[in-house]
């Protein structure tokens, strides 16, 4: 059996994110995030089990989501192919899907077996993502003001042109104020930081950097995408409650360590695949076009530096 993901794997995996996005899209604006997530999980798992690979779920629908499928440790695929670590988020942005807001996506990330960081028993991570020019200029050890100033120098921009993305949460109010005090702008989003992290690497949406505390599992997923795009990323475990702090310490996590991208995914052979659920800066959401449903997806592969955009039309009657 091959031990490494092959070049066709991304094209196979996109069928699973497309299926998850389509099933989740039936619940857009219906106020039931659990139903949206459940439909996406089932569809993604069904399609993953047809793919020629043996993927161990390192980051899945675990304790936080209380999901019965795609749980950490589950093996997916038909077994006829490379052995891989896999991270899944059938809907990154369940709340925005339920409310009918923008930027929800379905995501899969893959790396060589044994190379993906497992944030066991930890739900949150402090993250910094930007373009490769930021390496050596920005750090989680620096203040937000210093990061803004140093990134502006590295990108040869005026500070007033720098835009920092972060999740709109009360915990980030001091961060927002610091970024604005430095003379930069903020770009706030409601849920899910994977797409914003990609924009921080590519410059899409006029975003220059992602800062702030988001999901730890999404941190490893973002690392696969950042690796594929030759960007720069740091992460640090950030428990948000005494209970989570206790679990993190018991699990042996170093709460002071700053993870570089190679700590989060120790492979240059990563895939990142995503399909839009609702319209966003990165991808269009699932659209009804006559008798067909149209999906919009992206496939990133680190080893080849390939970025593929895929639009597919599915006969709607097959999915209803």
């Amino acid at each position: 059996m091959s031990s490494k993901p092959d070049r066709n794997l991304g094209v196979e995996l996109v069928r699973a994110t497309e299926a998850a996005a389509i099933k989740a899209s039936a619940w857009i604006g219906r106020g039931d995030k659990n139903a949206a997530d459940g439909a996406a999980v089932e569809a993604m798992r069904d399609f993953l089990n047809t793919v020629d690979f043996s993927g161990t779920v390192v980051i899945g629908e675990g304790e936080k989501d209380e999901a019965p499928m795609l749980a950490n440790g589950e093996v997916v695929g038909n077994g006829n192919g490379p052995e891989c670590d896999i991270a899944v988020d059938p809907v990154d942005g369940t709340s925005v899907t339920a409310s009918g807001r923008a930027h929800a996506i379905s995501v899969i990330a893959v790396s060589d077996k044994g190379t993906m960081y497992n944030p066991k028993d930890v739900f949150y991570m402090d993250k910094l993502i930007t373009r490769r020019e930021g390496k050596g200029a920005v750090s989680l050890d620096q203040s937000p003001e210093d990061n803004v100033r140093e990134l502006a120098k590295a990108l040869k921009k005026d500070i007033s042109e720098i835009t920092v993305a972060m999740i709109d949460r009360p915990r980030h109010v001091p961060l927002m104020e610091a970024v604005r005090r430095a003379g930069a702008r903020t770009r706030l989003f409601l849920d899910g930081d994977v797409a914003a992290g990609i924009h921080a690497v590519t410059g899409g949406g006029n975003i220059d950097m992602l800062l702030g505390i988001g999901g730890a599992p999404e941190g490893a997923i973002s690392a696969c995408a950042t690796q594929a795009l030759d960007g720069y990323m740091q992460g640090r475990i950030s428990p948000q409650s005494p209970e989570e702090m206790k679990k993190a310490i018991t699990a042996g996590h170093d709460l002071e360590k700053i993870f570089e991208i190679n700590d989060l995914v120790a492979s240059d052979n990563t895939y990142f695949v995503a399909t839009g659920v609702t319209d966003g800066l990165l991808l269009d959401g699932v659209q009804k076009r006559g008798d067909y449903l149209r999906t919009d997806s992206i496939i990133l592969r680190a080893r080849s530096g390939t970025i593929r955009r895929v639009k597919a039309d599915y006969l709607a009657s097959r999915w209803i």
Side-chain angles (χ1 to χ4, degrees), residues 168-219:
D168 190 3
R169 295 287 188 276
R171 64 176 177 262
H172 286 153
V173 170
L175 177 59
M176 297 174 201
E177 293 174 346
V179 167
R180 293 165 183 165
R181 199 163 49 240
R185 295 173 293 190
T186 58
R187 184 70 177 267
L188 307 181
F189 51 99
L190 293 173
D191 196 11
D193 57 8
V194 174
I198 291 175
H199 279 307
V201 178
T202 65
N206 293 319
I207 293 171
D208 299 292
M209 180 165 51
L210 172 81
L211 281 177
I213 297 166
E218 287 82 359

Side-chain angles (χ1 to χ4, degrees), residues 132-307:
R132 64 177 178 271
E133 290 88 347
K135 185 174 183 179
V138 296
S139 171
L140 287 175
D141 268 344
Q142 295 179 174
S143 68
E145 293 95 334
D146 284 344
N147 279 327
V148 166
R149 284 191 287 267
E150 293 305 313
L151 183 62
K153 292 177 186 177
L155 297 180
K156 296 180 172 57
K157 288 185 171 186
D158 190 84
I159 291 176
S160 64
E161 297 177 290
I162 295 294
T163 299
V164 180
M166 64 192 74
I167 301 175
D168 190 3
R169 295 287 188 276
R171 64 176 177 262
H172 286 153
V173 170
L175 177 59
M176 297 174 201
E177 293 174 346
V179 167
R180 293 165 183 165
R181 199 163 49 240
R185 295 173 293 190
T186 58
R187 184 70 177 267
L188 307 181
F189 51 99
L190 293 173
D191 196 11
D193 57 8
V194 174
I198 291 175
H199 279 307
V201 178
T202 65
N206 293 319
I207 293 171
D208 299 292
M209 180 165 51
L210 172 81
L211 281 177
I213 297 166
E218 287 82 359
I221 292 172
S222 294
C224 289
T226 303
Q227 188 83 287
L229 293 166
D230 193 26
Y232 182 64
M233 177 176 179
Q234 288 184 337
R236 181 166 51 201
I237 295 302
S238 183
Q240 295 297 294
S241 69
E243 180 183 10
E244 191 182 355
M245 176 75 75
K246 182 178 178 180
K247 286 184 177 181
I249 294 171
T250 301
H253 291 288
D254 183 349
L255 303 185
E256 301 299 321
K257 179 178 179 177
I258 292 180
F259 291 89
E260 301 291 340
I261 190 167
N262 289 332
D263 297 317
L264 297 171
V265 56
S267 170
D268 65 353
N269 192 28
T270 65
Y271 287 87
F272 173 91
V273 179
T275 300
V277 178
T278 61
D279 288 341
L281 289 173
L282 181 65
L283 296 163
D284 293 332
V286 178
Q287 300 174 3
K288 182 76 162 60
R289 293 175 173 244
D291 294 332
Y292 290 85
L293 296 170
R294 173 163 291 183
T295 59
D296 183 25
S297 305
I298 189 170
I299 304 171
L300 309 176
R301 189 188 182 202
R303 180 156 291 175
S304 62
T306 307
I307 302 174

Side-chain angles (χ1 to χ4, degrees), residues 10-32:
V11 178
E12 288 293 304
L13 292 172
V14 77
R15 296 186 301 130
T17 56
E18 287 170 350
I22 288 173
K23 283 296 189 179
S25 71
W27 295 93
I28 292 173
R30 298 186 182 275
D32 192 339

